[in-house]
Amino acid sequence: MKISALLSSIVLGALPGAIAAPGFFERESEQLAADIIVRALPNAPNGYTPTNVTCPASKPTLRSAAKLSSNETSWLETRRKKTVTPMKDFFSHISVGGYDVGSYIDKHSSNMSNLPNIAIAASGGGYRAMLNAAGVVKAFDSRVENATTKGHLGGILQSATYVAGLSGGSWLVGSIFINNFTSVADLQTYGNGQVWALGDNIFEGPKTGSIHALDTVDYYKDLAEAIESKRKAGFDASITDIWGRALAFQMYNATEGGIDYTWSSIAETQDFIDGNYPMPLVVADSRNPGEVLSSSYSTVFEFNPWEFGSFDPTLFGFAPLKYLGSDFDDGSISSNGSCVRGFDNAGFIIGSSATLFNEAITELGSNSSSITAWAEGVLKDVFESVDKADDDIASYKPNPFYGYNKAISPFASQTTLDITDGGEDGQNIPLHPLIQPERAVDVIFAIDSSADTSLSWPNGTSLVATYERSLNSTGIGNGTAFPAVPDQNTFVNLGLNTRPTFFGCNSSNITGPAPLVVYLPNYPYSSQSNTSTYQMTYEDWQRDNIITNGYEIATMANGTRDGNFTACVGCAILSRSFERTNTDLPDICTQCFTNYCWNGTTNSTTPNEYEPTDLLASSDASFMMPTILSSVMAVSVALFTLV
Ligand SMILES: *[C@@H]1O[C@H](CO)[C@@H](O)[C@H](O)[C@H]1NC(C)=O
Ligand SMILES: *[C@@H]1O[C@H](CO)[C@@H](O)[C@H](O)[C@H]1NC(C)=O
Ligand SMILES: *[C@@H]1O[C@H](CO)[C@@H](O)[C@H](O)[C@H]1NC(C)=O
Ligand SMILES: *[C@@H]1O[C@H](CO)[C@@H](O)[C@H](O)[C@H]1NC(C)=O
Ligand SMILES: *[C@@H]1O[C@H](CO)[C@@H](O)[C@H](O)[C@H]1NC(C)=O
Ligand SMILES: *[C@@H]1O[C@H](CO)[C@@H](O)[C@H](O)[C@H]1NC(C)=O
Ligand SMILES: *[C@@H]1O[C@H](CO)[C@@H](O)[C@H](O)[C@H]1NC(C)=O
Ligand SMILES: *[C@@H]1O[C@H](CO)[C@@H](O)[C@H](O)[C@H]1NC(C)=O
Ligand SMILES: *[C@@H]1O[C@H](CO)[C@@H](O)[C@H](O)[C@H]1NC(C)=O
Ligand SMILES: *[C@@H]1O[C@H](CO)[C@@H](O)[C@H](O)[C@H]1NC(C)=O
Ligand SMILES: *[C@@H]1O[C@H](CO)[C@@H](O)[C@H](O)[C@H]1NC(C)=O
Ligand SMILES: CC(=O)N[C@H]1CO[C@H](CO)[C@@H](O)[C@@H]1O
């Protein structure tokens, strides 16, 4: 889809911050956060510029997607063991009807493949999606104050194996993993132009005096120089390069937006090697110029800490991420070819997953009444030189998959690989890497912040896309299976998008191994978290309100909407594991599954416009707690009679 037409009106309307007077978003407080965070590694050889380096003794090669990489397999052994203690801690504060989960875990911990394998997926949807998912991840994080008290779910993050992000969701993943697995609570307190200072318009750059210490002109100059330098070294620069650099200034707490941080450096960080935290995954699609994507034939790519590639039958291969930019031909670098490093800039990766926003950048670049600096300033040359034929594309040239898998891959004949927003094929939740049978994930917490309805709420569209794709199991689905989900009208009519809904509870109803999906749709608890995908600035209060709302989505308002919800999450986590070990689920799980699992019922009549109002009825929950609690009870009674 050519998005210019679709977006141009929205973008200009949605960017008032971009044209606000300087200082409009100035912060009152100059308080500095005390924590020192140490990040992934600044190991690029030459800043943003991909650079020829001496090849390692055995030259990097591509590999088939038939199995996981040896890197991942051996990392999993370490990581899965490290999840035992967090899982026991989790079930020490989450009671599942009094069942002794701790003993169950102990009993099976000698064979990790019997224990739950947990994943979290954060959808696209711009800053809204980043912040809503941040709230969920915060609720899952045992390091966060009060997250392990009654009604809360802290510890799921520490128990997880994978955390996947797409587009806006990838900004969250980048913010956490490039900043040494920092917590969302810490990201919120940084402020002051360090990270997540979202009141600073990304088109103007960080505040002078922040650690980035650049004024707007210097900021543009910095972006432009990086892109120029990449081009001079012989590489394509696309709008994504500018966009990715700009994002990095907001997400990565390091000088110049972590210009020399690579995504592959995550794999070389000691805490990651030691399996102390989950594996990050970022999802993007490929798209040929002018092509309209659909989940029924798109090729879905993932960036994991070691590799970039796809499990799809249209490519079925992976390239070493650290050596992207090298001249691979049919899977290897020729004897006189050189090895290149530094292509996988950490900003470029999250920019590649979120190319939808290139349009916003392009608008500003070409519309001098918006921001003259973009049109007339130092970025002018860059805008004129980068390829704008298709704005929403990240140019991967040389294409690492050139000449590879010629018999099946349309990419084998292309010298450039065009990468685009992971949500462009409709699969806006990054489930793809998590439903690969080789990864054997048991439960996915699928955070959906999509803007499906006209008021920017989700209605199940993304799950439908992934489900339909999986039905073509011998084709594009390539052996993946996914739980059945109903049509979008049913989602709205049955309220499946107003509360957590479980899909795939009955594994025997799925053709092939598939995880149980805990669907966590964006829904208003304490604030209207349906801001526009193209809202590009958030004051700290609004950022924090959406994060709190996300926290309430994950916990059903800290258990006040259903006192049994945390137990039900426990059931969802344990379900596949108990099946493997032939263990009966505790009784309470029967009730839970009746309440939360979609049972196959559909109602496909066209619903009225979906327009939910804040469940907690006031944006200031702490102010009116007693009233709210009773209204929550009333609402939950009403809801559960409907379920
Ligand atoms: C961000 O990084 C800088 C430099 O490494 C460090 O001094 C600062 O404390 C960090 N900011 C926060 C809020 O942790
Ligand atoms: C990353 O954070 C962990 C846990 O807070 C800390 O122990 C470790 O020293 C940090 N990593 C680096 C490289 O400093
Ligand atoms: C990944 O595995 C390969 C082959 O075993 C090894 O050469 C490489 O160093 C590993 N990469 C990392 C980052 O550990
Ligand atoms: C944690 O809970 C205590 C006791 O209810 C409360 O006083 C405190 O404000 C809470 N902290 C946060 C960050 O919510
Ligand atoms: C890197 O090496 C390739 C050939 O292996 C060469 O064509 C290219 O000019 C080199 N780039 C730089 C910047 O030296
Ligand atoms: C759900 O979202 C899709 C995609 O935006 C839209 O086409 C459809 O009309 C929506 N349906 C309902 C019932 O909200
Ligand atoms: C199934 O996938 C193949 C590609 O692998 C594609 O050619 C075919 O059109 C798909 N079938 C349907 C019904 O979408
Ligand atoms: C839920 O807990 C979070 C974090 O402690 C808090 O910010 C939020 O206000 C609470 N919400 C409700 C409805 O209790
Ligand atoms: C929680 O589940 C138990 C067992 O099914 C049930 O007896 C109890 O009423 C439920 N509590 C709430 C608050 O729904
Ligand atoms: C079971 O699977 C079929 C399709 O294979 C689907 O139509 C049905 O709704 C599913 N039932 C449940 C409860 O998921
Ligand atoms: C399935 O769920 C619907 C509401 O979503 C409910 O009306 C129906 O009674 C349930 N069916 C069974 C067999 O539980
Ligand atoms: C399970 C399955 O169908 N795997 C196929 C995925 O695609 C590759 C490449 O076409 C095939 O070789 C696999 O057999």
Side-chain angles (χ1 to χ4, degrees), residues 145-146 152 548 551-552 555 557-558 560 616 621 625:
E145 191 179 334
N146 294 347
H152 296 244
T548 299
Y551 194 107
E552 290 162 347
T555 56
N558 307 334
T560 57
L616 303 184
M625 210 47 191

Side-chain angles (χ1 to χ4, degrees), residues 12 104 110 149 160 164 183 203 279 319 323 403 430 446 620-621:
L12 291 176
Y104 173 84
S110 58
T149 56
S183 74
F203 302 113
M279 177 192 301
Y323 293 104
D620 188 356

Side-chain angles (χ1 to χ4, degrees), residues 494 496 499 594 597-601 641-643:
L494 301 188
L496 305 180
R499 57 183 177 82
T594 305
C597 299
W598 175 61
N599 67 9
T601 302
T641 45
L642 283 174
V643 174

Side-chain angles (χ1 to χ4, degrees), residues 290-534:
E291 189 183 22
V292 178
L293 284 193
S294 146
S295 66
S296 63
Y297 53 80
S298 61
T299 302
V300 181
F301 286 76
E302 72 170 42
F303 297 89
N304 65 49
W306 305 279
E307 293 182 318
F308 166 62
S310 178
F311 289 99
D312 291 342
T314 40
L315 177 59
F316 211 58
F318 283 89
L321 184 60
K322 186 175 180 174
Y323 293 104
L324 280 191
S326 308
D327 234 332
F328 289 97
D329 185 351
D330 194 10
S332 51
I333 301 170
S334 69
S335 53
N336 57 353
S338 49
C339 290
V340 169
R341 279 193 47 220
F343 193 97
D344 65 320
N345 173 273
F348 186 60
I349 302 303
I350 61 173
S352 298
S353 180
T355 60
L356 193 60
F357 296 86
N358 286 356
E359 187 65 22
I361 291 257
T362 310
E363 281 300 326
L364 288 166
S366 56
N367 188 324
S368 59
S369 69
S370 293
I371 286 192
T372 44
W374 282 84
E376 291 165 12
V378 287
L379 279 178
K380 184 167 184 271
D381 290 346
V382 176
F383 270 110
E384 282 171 1
S385 59
V386 297
D387 180 14
K388 285 194 291 291
D390 274 84
D391 300 328
D392 57 332
I393 271 176
S395 180
Y396 281 61
K397 187 179 182 186
N399 165 18
F401 304 104
Y402 181 76
Y404 185 71
N405 270 354
K406 290 185 196 69
I408 58 162
S409 167
F411 306 103
S413 59
Q414 299 175 3
T415 53
T416 302
L417 174 66
D418 287 334
I419 289 297
T420 193
D421 198 287
E424 267 204 41
D425 68 347
Q427 301 189 91
N428 200 32
I429 309 175
L431 299 163
H432 184 273
L434 307 174
I435 60 172
Q436 298 305 321
E438 288 285 325
R439 290 213 163 107
V441 171
D442 290 324
V443 58
I444 304 174
F445 291 89
I447 309 161
D448 193 359
S449 316
S450 304
D452 295 331
T453 72
S454 47
L455 293 175
S456 297
W457 298 108
N459 71 10
T461 293
S462 171
L463 293 183
V464 170
T466 298
Y467 172 55
E468 285 179 348
R469 180 180 165 103
S470 77
L471 296 176
N472 191 355
S473 177
T474 54
I476 194 71
N478 210 27
T480 55
F482 195 71
V485 301
D487 63 287
Q488 291 98 316
N489 286 351
T490 296
F491 265 89
V492 174
N493 289 328
L494 301 188
L496 305 180
N497 61 341
T498 64
R499 57 183 177 82
T501 304
F502 301 173
F503 294 96
C505 295
N506 179 0
S507 64
S508 64
N509 195 43
I510 311 170
T511 49
L516 189 158
V517 174
V518 175
Y519 180 57
L520 298 172
N522 184 18
Y523 182 74
Y525 280 81
S526 53
S527 60
Q528 288 286 330
S529 51
N530 58 333
T531 48
S532 161
T533 305
Y534 302 100

